[in-house]
Amino acid sequence: MAELAPYAVSEGNTRGRKVAEDAPQGRSEFQRDRDRIIHSGAFRRLEYKTQVFVNHEGDLFRTRLTHSIEVAQIARSIARRLRLNEDLAEAISLAHDLGHTPFGHAGQDALNACMKTHGGFEHNLQSLRVVDKLEERYAEFDGLNLCFETREGILKHCSADNAAKLGEVGERFLNNRRPSLEAQVANLADEIAYNNHDVDDGLRSGLITLEQLEAVPLVAKQLKEVRLAYPGLPERRVVHETVRRMINTLVTDLIRQSESNIRSQIPVTLEDVRNAPAMIAYSPEINEQQRALKNFLRIHLYRHYRVLRMSAKAQRIIGDLFGVFMADSRLLPPQFQSLAEHGLARAVADYIAGMTDRYAIREHRRIFAVEEGV
Ligand code: MG
């Protein structure tokens, strides 16, 4: 492997872990972070959480687990090409969605509404809370005791109020500094992954069509080339070949533009990266095109009436569960009753956020359906 760029995060410039530990044997600090994330309970639950489609709707749709693996794959390719710390980019990618509620965006909005007078709910902050506190797997500390740079990368956005409460990891939001390039890579890899797999899943579900997508330049260009090069290719393969080329276009453009940004900013150290403007970016032309795709998906897929119907159900389930536990905390499982001693609403939010789609549906039945076991 090529040597790391001097401004990449390394074992030499990491701010380390909250609780000091012996150096790992036979793997790097960031490989250890990745391994801890993979062995966490929250990571396994990603298999049964979804982003757009609810888990029982079909076996071929992305789950948060396969999404996170796709993000890691894209982030690693980019990090390697830019001589950044591939292990760190991978660890951030695998952990970035750990704090997500069941039922994707609808679930997050519902829980945030429930928590409005209790400090709100934000999935980014919750991902950090999972790795810092909620995972109970180690004898010597709460959470996973990850390196600062991994935690910093997980915290993608944050309000000033919340940042002020977070200490070191929140500081950059208060003094307008950037995270590591590895965190910037993971952030954009997330976007590349979901924009493209939502096109694929959206087409498979029949909620959007190829004809509609011909109005989106990023798709239209690749689609036209595929149809020209392979006349008579079956539609499913046309879709896969098109999506594959879209990912490639975005990744290639991102690498080229980021290399050029790095050349003009000439960072020498990790500190320079933090003080410079964001360097991981698309070219203006591709940025425009990927925004148009995002916009298309928002209008035609995320706001499709069938997606909205499922979202409405999800919101009802989460609202009902929140209400019932707030009214009587004795209905919570014992582990969350003890968490509730430090604040009931946050403990209820932790419990609900940790649920998978199907667990939330089942828990709702257990509590509200008389004929169901408890
Ligand atoms: Mg994501």
Side-chain angles (χ1 to χ4, degrees), residues 51 64 67 71 96-97 156 190 194:
Q51 214 150 320
R64 290 222 179 256
H67 162 71
V71 175
H96 84 284
D97 270 354
K156 213 183 324 184
D190 182 24
Y194 68 68

Side-chain angles (χ1 to χ4, degrees), residues 259-361:
E259 276 171 345
S260 140
N261 294 346
I262 292 169
R263 266 198 307 276
S264 58
Q265 294 289 335
I266 1 177
V268 177
T269 64
L270 178 55
E271 221 23 48
D272 294 342
V273 167
R274 297 183 182 286
N275 291 321
M279 283 179 263
I280 305 299
Y282 302 111
S283 66
E285 187 200 344
I286 290 290
N287 190 40
E288 190 54 44
Q289 290 189 14
Q290 69 89 27
R291 269 165 178 275
L293 171 61
K294 235 180 187 176
N295 208 27
F296 172 91
L297 289 169
R298 188 164 55 236
I299 295 166
H300 297 282
L301 183 60
Y302 310 146
R303 289 188 199 150
H304 192 286
Y305 83 98
R306 281 174 53 203
V307 173
L308 293 180
R309 281 186 183 189
M310 197 56 230
S311 301
K313 280 194 223 183
Q315 279 166 353
R316 206 162 313 120
I317 290 175
I318 286 186
D320 286 351
L321 288 175
F322 189 84
V324 91
F325 294 130
M326 287 299 282
D328 188 350
S329 64
R330 296 170 310 171
L331 305 186
L332 284 167
Q335 168 197 359
F336 290 93
Q337 291 193 24
S338 40
L339 253 186
E341 287 161 18
H342 311 283
L344 175 59
R346 190 55 61 189
V348 172
D350 286 339
Y351 180 40
I352 292 176
M355 294 179 184
T356 62
D357 296 3
R358 60 185 192 172
Y359 184 95
I361 294 168

Side-chain angles (χ1 to χ4, degrees), residues 41-237:
F43 185 72
R44 284 194 296 282
R45 288 198 295 268
L46 294 177
E47 184 174 2
Y48 301 104
K49 291 189 181 196
T50 45
Q51 214 150 320
V52 179
F53 298 90
V54 174
N55 201 252
H56 59 259
E57 289 183 88
D59 290 347
L60 275 179
F61 296 125
R62 265 65 172 193
T63 66
R64 290 222 179 256
L65 179 65
T66 56
H67 162 71
S68 301
I69 294 170
E70 289 181 29
V71 175
Q73 180 274 315
I74 293 168
R76 286 181 54 182
S77 308
I78 299 169
R80 181 181 295 212
R81 277 289 305 274
L82 298 176
R83 293 195 298 130
L84 300 174
N85 190 323
E86 205 176 315
D87 297 325
L88 172 60
E90 182 182 22
I92 296 170
S93 303
L94 293 177
H96 84 284
D97 270 354
L98 289 179
H100 260 290
T101 61
F103 312 125
H105 304 294
Q108 133 96 25
D109 292 348
L111 194 53
N112 188 29
C114 294
M115 288 293 288
K116 202 167 173 208
T117 54
H118 308 282
F121 178 87
E122 215 277 292
H123 65 84
N124 255 284
L125 276 175
Q126 190 69 10
S127 297
L128 191 64
R129 191 168 157 80
V130 167
V131 302
D132 279 355
K133 181 173 169 52
L134 297 178
E135 281 290 324
E136 295 180 327
R137 316 187 63 81
Y138 297 89
E140 309 223 330
F141 42 78
D142 283 343
L144 307 179
N145 196 35
L146 302 179
C147 292
F148 172 83
E149 293 75 14
T150 310
R151 299 171 56 238
E152 163 196 64
I154 291 171
L155 196 63
K156 213 183 324 184
H157 338 269
C158 184
S159 68
D161 278 357
N162 285 326
K165 293 179 206 140
L166 289 172
E168 208 189 7
V169 81
E171 274 168 20
R172 72 180 166 94
F173 298 98
L174 301 172
N175 40 30
N176 186 30
R177 280 157 42 99
R178 253 55 55 200
S180 69
L181 294 179
E182 289 82 352
Q184 297 179 35
V185 165
N187 185 8
L188 282 157
D190 182 24
E191 210 174 82
I192 295 177
Y194 68 68
N195 281 330
N196 287 284
H197 64 50
D198 287 353
V199 167
D200 183 31
D201 285 350
L203 288 168
R204 185 180 302 103
S205 66
L207 299 186
I208 55 175
T209 64
L210 272 182
E211 289 63 44
Q212 283 178 307
L213 278 163
E214 275 163 15
V216 183
L218 187 65
V219 190
K221 180 169 182 286
Q222 306 303 330
L223 189 60
K224 199 172 153 201
E225 281 177 17
V226 171
R227 287 213 162 119
L228 210 68
Y230 307 98
L233 192 68
E235 280 301 274
R236 274 316 300 168
R237 284 176 68 166

